[in-house]
Amino acid sequence: MRTHSDLFSACFLHLLTPINFRSYQYSLSTLTLVFLLSSSIVVPIHKGGDCSVVKNYRPVSLTSVVCKQMEHVIAGYTRQVWEDRVWLYEGQHGFRPGYLCESQIITVCQDISDSLVESTRLDAIIIGFSKAFDLVPCDRPLKKIVASGVDSRVIVWIREFLIDCSQRVK
C-alpha cells in the first residue's frame, strides 16, 4: 500500500513546475500559505434577470495560477486517499473521475427499471440545497477530512486556505 509521502510525490511531480513544487513543499513544511495563495479577487458574474437584484449574481473567486495548481494537487491527493480507503459512498457520482451526471441519471433510471420489473417499492427523496456551501461552518468539513485519514499537513493547509484567506471584490 502506498504511503502518504508516495502519494504526495505522485500528485506533485507531474503537475507542478520545480519552482511551484518547492513553494508547495515550503507551504506544507511551515504549515502556512504563501501570500499569493491566500488572497483572491471576487468578481460578481450576472446569471440573468434583473441586474439590480443581488441574487442574480454568482460570485467567482479569481486566484493565482499557482493557487489553482495547489488546489488541484490537494484535491487529487484527498480523492486518492478516499478512494484507497473506500471512504466515499459508491453512489457518489459528483466530483469523481469516471463518474458523470449522466452516470448518476443512468443509475437512477436503472433502479427505477429494476423496481418496476421486480414489482418492488422504490422510495426517492430529492432535496435541493440553495447556497448549501455558504451555510456550512468551515470546521464541519474539516472534521470530516480529519476523520478520513488525510495527512495532517494537508488538513492545516486546507484550514488556512478556507479560514485565513483574504478576498477583495472587484
Side-chain angles (χ1 to χ4, degrees):
M1 182 163 198
R2 290 184 290 196
T3 65
H4 286 297
S5 297
D6 295 338
L7 200 50
F8 273 161
S9 297
C11 289
F12 296 148
L13 294 179
H14 79 284
L15 289 172
L16 300 176
T17 64
I19 292 172
N20 293 347
F21 181 70
R22 284 193 297 276
S23 297
Y24 187 74
Q25 282 183 316
Y26 172 79
S27 180
L28 276 179
S29 66
T30 61
L31 300 177
T32 58
L33 289 174
V34 179
F35 173 73
L36 290 173
L37 300 180
S38 63
S39 64
S40 63
I41 300 171
V42 178
V43 179
I45 305 295
H46 187 249
K47 297 187 295 184
D50 186 355
C51 291
S52 64
V53 177
V54 175
K55 289 183 181 181
N56 291 337
Y57 289 86
R58 181 174 61 92
V60 174
S61 184
L62 304 175
T63 57
S64 70
V65 172
V66 174
C67 183
K68 288 183 189 318
Q69 286 181 319
M70 301 300 185
E71 287 178 54
H72 188 71
V73 168
I74 292 286
Y77 164 74
T78 54
R79 189 179 304 115
Q80 190 61 54
V81 168
W82 296 342
E83 292 288 343
D84 289 350
R85 294 173 181 253
V86 194
W87 196 71
L88 296 174
Y89 169 63
E90 66 183 29
Q92 168 70 35
H93 287 248
F95 307 105
R96 290 178 75 184
Y99 293 84
L100 309 165
C101 291
E102 292 86 353
S103 63
Q104 182 72 70
I105 292 168
I106 290 168
T107 301
V108 170
C109 290
Q110 186 63 50
D111 289 345
I112 292 169
S113 176
D114 292 346
S115 176
L116 291 171
V117 168
E118 298 167 6
S119 297
T120 58
R121 180 177 161 174
L122 177 70
D123 296 327
I125 299 172
I126 300 172
I127 302 172
F129 294 101
S130 176
K131 303 213 180 256
F133 185 79
D134 298 338
L135 301 174
V136 176
C138 284
D139 64 326
R140 193 165 298 159
L142 284 172
K143 287 177 184 175
K144 297 278 188 181
I145 294 170
V146 168
S148 73
V150 170
D151 187 284
S152 61
R153 295 172 300 165
V154 174
I155 292 165
V156 171
W157 199 92
I158 292 170
R159 184 197 169 282
E160 293 282 320
F161 184 80
L162 290 176
I163 295 172
D164 295 333
C165 63
S166 65
Q167 297 177 328
R168 62 187 171 106
V169 178
K170 183 175 180 181

